Amino acid sequence: MNLTFFGLCLACMGVSLAEGFLMANLFKSASRQPEIIGQLRTLMIMGIAFIEGTFFVTLAMSFIIK
């Protein structure tokens, strides 16, 4: 039981790191080329959706394994 929660904690940490890296690189790209902010915003939303999807799959698996 504790291992599933440990795995979920690791998944949360991974999601937080991935979203931080995504946003940092988005801001770097926007500062270099501000005219493509619309395209970057679309890619950011898709990236966050995939990152959060990975977390929710891990969450569901932790409840199934439990």
Side-chain angles (χ1 to χ4, degrees), residues 14-59:
V15 166
S16 299
L17 286 173
E19 286 181 357
F21 288 142
L22 181 91
M23 293 303 293
N25 289 322
L26 175 84
F27 289 141
K28 286 179 188 176
S29 299
S31 67
R32 289 186 186 133
Q33 292 182 330
E35 65 272 2
I36 61 167
I37 191 69
Q39 295 169 351
L40 291 175
R41 187 179 304 124
T42 304
L43 290 173
M44 178 198 64
I45 291 170
M46 286 178 48
I48 288 178
F50 286 125
I51 293 168
E52 290 292 328
T54 303
F55 168 72
F56 286 125
V57 167
T58 307
L59 178 66

